[in-house]
Amino acid sequence: MDLVSIRIITGDIARLVDFYERATGVQATWSTEDFAELRTTGGTLAIGSTRTVALFAPGSARPADNNTVIIEFLVDDVDGVHRNLAGFVADFVNEPTTLPWGNRSRLFRDPDGNLVNFFTPVTPAAIEKFAR
């Protein structure tokens, strides 16, 4: 089994896709006006409009209602990325912080309130764990 993607349901797909394109530098691929994907070497962030929810099960997902998931991106230099984000991210949760498990992390919220973590491994063990 392989984890293929994480999907965010949103009430404003154009706004959220634009946000993630700017934050990650990855160009989205649009399948329809209601569905786009940002593909990276490690996985895909899919973004669907609320109109796609009925295709699965009406009412099964609600936009801007996530309080448990953190979407994480491995980056080469979290401090450098932080400087790039400062111009358009409105809600930073922490300053760049080195965590006990060896990652330097910058946590922020996307326009729908979802938590996003950009991190860089900085200890030898963390660097080895995420070696590409």
Side-chain angles (χ1 to χ4, degrees):
M1 180 184 306
D2 289 322
L3 176 63
V4 175
S5 70
I6 299 292
R7 184 178 313 194
I8 301 172
I9 298 298
T10 182
D12 189 341
I13 190 168
R15 177 190 66 173
L16 206 58
V17 169
D18 178 65
F19 176 86
Y20 279 101
E21 285 180 331
R22 290 180 68 189
T24 65
V26 175
Q27 183 72 37
T29 302
W30 289 82
S31 298
T32 71
E33 66 182 356
D34 290 317
F35 186 78
E37 295 176 310
L38 287 87
R39 294 186 185 110
T40 72
T41 56
T44 297
L45 179 62
I47 303 173
S49 79
T50 53
R51 291 185 293 269
T52 64
V53 174
L55 300 172
F56 292 101
S60 61
R62 293 181 307 274
D65 197 28
N66 170 31
N67 292 299
T68 59
V69 174
I70 302 172
I71 303 163
E72 298 188 300
F73 291 91
L74 174 64
V75 298
D76 291 333
D77 175 15
V78 75
D79 293 293
V81 170
H82 161 69
R83 288 186 289 276
N84 295 338
L85 297 173
F88 68 95
V89 171
D91 188 0
F92 287 106
V93 176
N94 70 349
E95 292 298 320
T97 303
T98 302
L99 300 170
W101 46 89
N103 294 331
R104 187 151 175 82
S105 174
R106 180 63 158 153
L107 198 65
F108 56 95
R109 292 190 186 277
D110 72 16
D112 279 3
N114 299 301
L115 283 170
V116 181
N117 181 30
F118 280 11
F119 73 94
T120 302
V122 294
T123 64
I127 291 167
E128 182 180 341
K129 177 180 177 181
F130 291 103
R132 298 185 205 184

